[in-house]
Amino acid sequence: AISTKKGRDKTRGSTETDLKKQVTPEEEEAELNRSKLVETPAMRVILKEFYRTYRAKEKISLDCAADFARSCLDSEEFPVSVQWRIYLELADLSKRANKFKEARTLYKKVCTIQPYACQGWLEYSKLEEECGNLTECSRILKEGLRFCEFNENLLTRALKHEERSAREVGNRDLRRARELLAPLKHCNIEKVWRVVLEGALMEARAGNEVEARRILKYLMHWIPWYGPLYLEAFRLERDYERPINALGVVERGLKEIQRYGPLWFGAFRVC
C-alpha cells in the first residue's frame, strides 16, 4: 500500500512538472504583463496623487499638464510597469492639440509597454477612426483583441466599427463583424452578453429579423434580469408589425422585472 501511494505521488509530481514544462515563453511573458496591471495599494495612492495634480495642471494649460506628465516619467516613483498610464495622458493631450503624428507615436508606445490594457487600443483606434483611417482602425482593434481577447469594450467597438465600414463601403457585408462574434459561443454568456446583444441589434439594423429574434430570445433566457433587453426585443416585434409577439415580450419582461417603466409604456402602445 505504501509503495502504491509513493507511486501515485511520483506520478502526480511528474504530471505537475509536465504541465509546467508546457508553458511557453510567450505565455510566461503574457502572464507577467497581465500581473503588472494589478497595482499595489502604495502605487494606487501615488497614481491618485498624479491624476489629481495632472487635472489641476490641465486647467492651467495643456502644455503645463504635458510638462508635469513628462517630469513624472523621469521620476523613480513611477516604474516602467505604470508609465503606460502617463503616456496615455500625453497621447490624449497631443490629440487634443491636433498633433496627430505625435499622438500616434505615444499610443503605439502605450500599446507596446502594456498590450494587455484595453484603454490604449481603444483610444488609438478612436484617433484613426476620427482621422478617417478606417482600415488602420480595424487593424488596431484586431491587434488589440489578440491581447485582450474577450474584452467587452474592445469587442463592442470592433463590432460597431466593422458594421460602419460595411455600410460605408456599400456592400453591407457583415462577415467580418460576425467573425468577431463566432468565438463567443465558447464563452460564459454572463461575461459576454453585452457584446452578443450588440450583435443582435446589428442583425436587426441589417434587416436580418429571424437571426436578431433568435439571439434576443436566447439572451432573454439567460439574462432575464436586464430590462433594456426586453425593450429591444419589443421594438423588433413592433417594427416588423407583430403586435401579438410584441405584447408577449412585454408580458415576459414584466414577469421578471415588474417595475421596469419602459415596458409598461410599451404595453400601452401595443394595446
Side-chain angles (χ1 to χ4, degrees):
I2 294 172
S3 61
T4 304
K5 186 178 178 181
K6 286 182 178 178
R8 286 175 181 171
D9 290 341
K10 187 176 180 181
T11 304
R12 187 182 304 157
S14 63
T15 303
E16 290 174 355
T17 304
D18 290 340
L19 287 172
K20 288 179 181 178
K21 287 180 180 178
Q22 289 174 6
V23 178
T24 64
E26 291 78 11
E27 289 171 335
E28 287 183 358
E29 184 180 358
E31 191 59 36
L32 179 62
N33 278 324
R34 288 193 191 96
S35 67
K36 290 177 182 177
L37 287 171
V38 182
E39 283 124 10
T40 63
M43 183 51 64
R44 282 197 289 269
V45 171
I46 292 172
L47 286 172
K48 184 178 180 180
E49 181 62 23
F50 162 77
Y51 285 117
R52 187 188 67 78
T53 307
Y54 175 80
R55 298 305 172 202
K57 299 281 186 183
E58 194 178 24
K59 290 177 182 178
I60 300 171
S61 71
L62 297 183
D63 289 337
C64 188
D67 290 340
F68 169 70
R70 290 191 187 96
S71 69
C72 289
L73 290 172
D74 297 327
S75 172
E76 293 182 357
E77 276 190 317
F78 299 92
V80 177
S81 60
V82 299
Q83 286 186 2
W84 67 271
R85 295 185 182 277
I86 301 174
Y87 282 115
L88 192 61
E89 297 298 338
L90 284 169
D92 179 64
L93 289 176
S94 297
K95 178 182 172 182
R96 287 157 61 187
N98 295 326
K99 299 176 182 178
F100 299 125
K101 187 175 180 180
E102 183 178 316
R104 283 189 184 95
T105 302
L106 289 166
Y107 281 131
K108 285 178 183 177
K109 197 168 188 66
V110 171
C111 296
T112 301
I113 294 175
Q114 184 44 275
Y116 293 94
C118 69
Q119 299 97 311
W121 300 107
L122 284 168
E123 294 304 324
Y124 190 9
S125 67
K126 285 178 186 177
L127 171 68
E128 296 300 349
E129 187 175 55
E130 289 168 9
C131 291
N133 303 324
L134 298 185
T135 303
E136 181 63 10
C137 176
S138 181
R139 185 198 66 77
I140 292 166
L141 289 169
K142 186 177 179 180
E143 183 70 8
L145 286 169
R146 193 165 68 85
F147 293 97
C148 314
E149 189 175 6
F150 297 115
N151 182 271
E152 183 181 287
N153 294 328
L154 263 180
L155 275 169
T156 302
R157 177 155 182 76
L159 196 64
K160 290 181 177 179
H161 173 73
E162 294 301 342
E163 182 186 8
R164 178 190 169 187
S165 298
R167 186 172 61 250
E168 292 193 358
V169 168
N171 58 10
R172 294 186 176 274
D173 186 357
L174 296 174
R175 278 182 298 179
R176 289 203 299 183
R178 292 181 182 122
E179 285 172 3
L180 293 170
L181 293 169
L184 301 186
K185 62 185 178 183
H186 303 296
C187 298
N188 185 339
I189 188 62
E190 293 181 358
K191 294 182 179 179
V192 296
W193 65 269
R194 291 181 186 275
V195 183
V196 176
L197 175 57
E198 189 58 42
L201 299 180
M202 177 190 72
E203 296 294 354
R205 288 189 290 268
N208 301 322
E209 172 199 355
V210 175
E211 183 64 11
R213 183 181 291 109
R214 184 186 69 80
I215 298 172
L216 288 169
K217 185 178 179 181
Y218 172 80
L219 287 172
M220 285 188 288
H221 175 76
W222 290 104
I223 315 292
W225 45 264
Y226 188 62
L229 176 57
Y230 296 97
L231 192 60
E232 294 297 344
F234 160 76
R235 287 171 177 165
L236 177 70
E237 302 298 350
R238 181 199 62 189
D239 293 345
Y240 281 92
E241 299 180 355
R242 297 173 182 266
I244 296 176
N245 288 5
L247 188 59
V249 170
V250 169
E251 290 175 349
R252 180 176 179 177
L254 290 175
K255 283 181 181 178
E256 297 288 345
I257 320 164
Q258 294 182 1
R259 296 187 179 182
Y260 188 62
L263 280 180
W264 284 106
F265 288 115
F268 295 148
R269 291 191 191 100
V270 173
C271 295

